[in-house]
Each structure stands twice: as C-alpha cells, then as structure tokens.
C-alpha cells in the first residue's frame, strides 16, 4: 500500500540552493541541515508576518494541523542550527 500523495503547497519565496552559515568557516567544513521550502514558508508566514496557523494554512493550501507539524520541525531545525553553528541549506521539495 503506497502512502497518500503529498498535497501541493503554495510557497512564495525562492531561496532554494542558498545557504545560511556562520562566518569564517567554509560550508564544506560545517554540518548541514536542510530546511525545505514549505518549512521556510511556514516560518515566514507565522513568525515574520504574524499570521495564525489557520491563516497560514489557508495561504499555503493545507490544514492548520499540517502547518503545526511543519512549524515544529522547522523551528527545531533552525534553533539547532543556530545554537550549534550548523549551516542551514534551503532545498526544494520538487527535486
């Protein structure tokens, strides 16, 4: 039995292929954590624009529960990267 197909998510930003890293250390020498496009979009909508999870879900075309799961993962990845000095690599889910 195959898993349910992933619902198309509406994302506005285009940062794929870029990275955020500490200065002074080459990217190849750092542990890298991938932040997917939908995770970055959920962070942007809820934390930067101040939308509720319901409003962000409506903008992205997914449920509030899905936004909540995406945010939980994205916030953990981001905080871990910042606290431990890892690089954040922005990737597309459409690869």
């Amino acid at each position: 039995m195959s898993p349910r197909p992933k619902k198309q998510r509406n994302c506005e930003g285009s940062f794929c292929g870029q990275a955020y890293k500490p200065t002074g250390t080459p990217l190849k020498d750092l542990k890298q954590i991938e932040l997917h496009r939908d995770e970055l979009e959920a962070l942007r909508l809820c934390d930067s624009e101040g939308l509720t999870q319901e409003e962000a879900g409506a903008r992205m075309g997914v449920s509030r529960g899905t936004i909540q799961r995406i945010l939980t993962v994205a916030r953990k990845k981001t905080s871990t990267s910042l606290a431990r000095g890892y690089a954040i690599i922005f990737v597309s889910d459409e690869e």
Side-chain angles (χ1 to χ4, degrees):
M1 191 172 188
S2 62
R4 183 175 170 203
K6 196 173 194 180
K7 193 173 192 180
Q8 178 66 35
R9 297 170 182 176
N10 303 321
C11 300
E12 295 174 12
S14 179
F15 291 97
C16 297
Q18 296 183 18
Y20 181 85
K21 70 172 195 70
T23 58
T25 308
L27 185 60
K28 63 180 175 66
D29 295 340
L30 293 170
K31 181 170 180 176
Q32 300 177 11
I33 293 184
E34 292 184 347
L35 192 68
H36 295 274
R37 188 174 181 204
D38 58 343
E39 294 167 344
L40 181 60
E41 182 71 1
L43 283 174
R44 185 183 72 78
L45 292 173
C46 292
D47 296 341
S48 294
E49 292 191 13
L51 299 181
T52 65
Q53 291 178 3
E54 282 188 25
E55 293 167 334
R59 288 261 299 262
M60 288 181 66
V62 296
S63 71
R64 185 206 51 82
T66 299
I67 288 291
Q68 185 175 17
R69 285 188 294 279
I70 292 171
L71 277 174
T72 300
V73 170
R75 287 175 175 158
K76 182 173 182 178
K77 286 179 178 182
T78 304
S79 63
T80 299
S81 296
L82 292 173
R84 296 187 179 162
Y86 298 160
I88 301 172
I89 308 298
F90 303 108
V91 296
S92 173
D93 294 326
E94 302 158 2
E95 297 172 350

